[in-house]
Amino acid sequence: MLASFKRHYHAQMMCPGLSGLLINPFYFARKGLYDNVRRLAPHITGRVLDVGCGTQPYRPLFVAVDYTGMELDTEENRARKLADVFYCGPTFPFDSDTFDSLVCNEVLEHVFTPTEFVRELNRVLKPGGHLLLTVPFVWDEHEQPYDYARYSSFGLLALITGAGFEVVEHVKTMSDVRVLCQLVNAYLYKVTVSKSRYLNLFNMLLLMAPVNILGSLVRFITPSNPDLYLDNVILARKVGRER
């Protein structure tokens, strides 16, 4: 029973359902990402590279012939991440035109040389292959000190197209009152989090769950605002002659 609850709890952190409203302080951010990645997942097929894969939370969504997770070669990543390949950068350890599809989830803001990084994404992708990229627009500093940038939609599109991609679809997640609720909960989480998981859960239920529920209801009676949102989700295609 306890093991089942733990599995459900961890699943709700990255792929939140209804119970995520009560236990996930980042509910709106994670739900916006999960819903859009799941919707666009049918475009990610064949041989897939997950760049900056972390714990590969979205891997079950993709139907891949082969799935490779890649991370920077650091002591922490080797201990905590589920990577198949580690690299030292800036060049990816693969030949050009190797992969049919790429996934890059919440990584670009941690890259200090984004132009070179996106060009590497383009290089290892086959012509006509798809890139599914997510990156925050509004979010607090995290994974310090390796948090270098935030991207507007215009800056991100210029970066992507300049590296040889065409944008198939661009989504701005939670572009309504929920962005404000998420920022309130991100603040509450940062100022209340402790080493006690039970105290954290108590604070979640007492302080942050009501904000999640309020945002989920109020969004139906308040206007959207496409200029203020949480994350960019982009499906892009490598321009070039397909083989």
Side-chain angles (χ1 to χ4, degrees):
M1 177 99 177
L2 182 59
S4 177
F5 173 78
K6 286 183 177 178
R7 284 195 299 272
H8 180 74
Y9 178 87
H10 288 299
Q12 289 299 307
M13 291 301 104
M14 296 303 295
C15 311
L18 192 59
S19 58
L21 283 167
L22 302 178
I23 60 177
N24 191 339
F26 312 113
Y27 173 79
F28 292 121
R30 300 284 170 76
K31 184 168 180 55
L33 290 172
Y34 175 69
D35 286 351
N36 284 287
V37 170
R38 181 177 59 178
R39 184 175 59 80
L40 296 172
H43 296 279
I44 303 302
T45 58
R47 190 176 182 188
V48 177
L49 176 65
D50 188 340
V51 180
C53 62
T55 58
Q56 303 183 13
Y58 302 133
R59 179 171 180 170
L61 300 177
F62 306 120
V63 180
V65 173
D66 179 71
Y67 197 95
T68 302
M70 183 177 74
E71 275 287 356
L72 273 175
D73 193 358
T74 67
E75 185 175 336
E76 180 181 2
N77 283 345
R78 284 188 175 270
R80 303 179 60 183
K81 305 295 178 61
L82 299 178
D84 305 291
V85 175
F86 293 91
Y87 82 113
C88 297
T91 304
F92 295 174
F94 303 105
D95 294 333
S96 299
D97 304 344
T98 296
F99 295 95
D100 299 293
S101 307
L102 303 179
V103 177
C104 188
N105 175 48
E106 305 297 88
V107 172
L108 191 60
E109 73 272 24
H110 302 293
V111 177
F112 197 72
T113 54
T115 301
E116 291 80 357
F117 179 81
V118 177
R119 284 175 180 166
E120 277 297 289
L121 292 175
N122 185 273
R123 182 184 67 79
V124 300
L125 183 63
K126 295 178 181 177
H130 285 100
L131 163 67
L132 181 53
L133 174 76
T134 77
V135 61
F137 172 56
V138 175
W139 198 244
D140 66 351
E141 289 187 341
H142 56 286
E143 297 189 24
Q144 294 95 331
Y146 307 107
D147 189 356
Y148 302 122
R150 295 292 178 271
Y151 291 89
S152 70
S153 59
F154 304 103
L156 187 58
L157 295 182
L159 182 66
I160 296 296
T161 57
F165 291 97
E166 63 178 7
V167 174
V168 178
E169 185 170 343
H170 177 204
V171 179
K172 300 176 178 179
T173 70
M174 302 294 170
S175 56
D176 52 46
V177 71
R178 290 174 292 181
V179 67
L180 301 179
C181 295
Q182 180 57 87
L183 293 178
V184 169
N185 272 353
Y187 167 80
L188 291 172
Y189 177 80
K190 279 284 180 76
V191 300
T192 62
V193 67
S194 70
K195 294 181 180 179
S196 169
R197 65 182 63 180
Y198 300 106
L199 180 58
N200 292 338
L201 182 59
F202 176 79
N203 286 331
M204 176 68 219
L205 293 171
L206 179 67
L207 300 175
M208 289 165 266
V211 179
N212 281 341
I213 295 170
L214 178 66
S216 297
L217 296 175
V218 172
R219 76 181 182 92
F220 292 110
I221 60 173
T222 53
S224 61
N225 175 8
D227 296 336
L228 184 62
Y229 56 98
L230 288 175
D231 287 279
N232 294 280
V233 179
I234 287 184
L235 179 68
R237 179 176 174 274
K238 180 174 178 176
V239 177
R241 184 171 56 86
E242 297 184 32
R243 296 178 174 176

